[in-house]
Structure formats: C-alpha cells, structure tokens
Amino acid sequence: MFAAYATITIFASLLFGSAAVIYLIGHEFPKAQLDMKGLPRSWAPVLGAMLALGALGLPGGFAIPLLGTLAAYSLVLYFTGALLAHLRVGSRKLGNWALFFATAVAALGASLLYHWS
C-alpha cells in the first residue's frame, strides 16, 4: 500500500507544484483563465500560493500524516471552488479541471487509506 500512496503523493505534488509555478511566474494561461472567469488578475499569486502550499504539504504527509491529509483535502476544496467558478460563467471546458480534481481526490483517498485505515 505504501508504494501506491507514495506514487500518488509524489505525482500530485509535482503536478500541483508545476501549476503553482505557472501561477506565480505570471504566465499568460492563468491570467486568461482568471479573465474568462471574471476574477481579478491580482488573485493569481494567491491562488498560486495556495497550490504551492498544497504541493508542499502532500509529501509532508510522509513525516506528519495529518499534514498530508489536510493538504489533500484542501486541494479538493480548491478545485471544487474552481469548478464553481467555471460553472458560474457557463464554461464547459473542464478537461484540465477534471485531471487536477481527480488527482487531488486520489491523493486524499490514498492518504486516508494508508494513514487512517
């Protein structure tokens, strides 16, 4: 079970960490996403920081199980909010969202199964 937990956790951490970097360096993709959703561009660093904290918290669960579980749970909430932002403006382009949300759910499930079952 540890191998599955470690694989999912490391993959999720890398995925969310790369997304955080894209937000934090001021890349055009996050700006376009914020514009499409009618959100201020000034939110990009905050959203990037939230992704970065989640990405750092996931592998922290190897040492402190509760930290990893809370990080995964927070990422699930983050992407639930992203879905609501998409739906609010009528966006049906949810492919990227689905990948990120499924990864966050997998990380949460793996953490719960490995540490708390």
Side-chain angles (χ1 to χ4, degrees), residues 1-12 62 110 114:
M1 180 62 196
F2 178 76
Y5 164 67
T7 301
I8 292 168
T9 299
I10 292 167
F11 173 77
F62 291 125
Y114 181 72

Side-chain angles (χ1 to χ4, degrees), residues 12-13 16-17 48-60 67-68 70-72 74-75:
S13 183
F16 299 130
M50 292 169 70
L51 286 167
L53 290 171
L56 292 171
L58 289 174
L67 175 63
L70 290 175
S74 298
L75 287 164

Side-chain angles (χ1 to χ4, degrees), residues 23-117:
Y23 270 82
L24 293 171
I25 65 171
H27 193 274
E28 281 302 313
F29 181 75
K31 292 176 184 176
Q33 289 293 305
L34 290 168
D35 291 343
M36 183 262 302
K37 293 174 187 122
L39 300 172
R41 286 185 172 198
S42 62
W43 285 20
V46 175
L47 296 172
M50 292 169 70
L51 286 167
L53 290 171
L56 292 171
L58 289 174
F62 291 125
I64 305 168
L66 184 60
L67 175 63
T69 302
L70 290 175
Y73 180 71
S74 298
L75 287 164
V76 169
L77 291 177
Y78 177 97
F79 288 104
T80 300
L83 174 63
L84 295 175
H86 274 276
L87 296 177
R88 183 177 63 89
V89 297
S91 171
R92 299 294 183 252
K93 295 180 181 178
L94 299 174
N96 288 339
W97 171 84
L99 169 69
F100 280 87
F101 183 73
T103 303
V105 169
L108 178 59
S111 180
L112 290 172
L113 285 173
Y114 181 72
H115 291 296
W116 310 106
S117 64

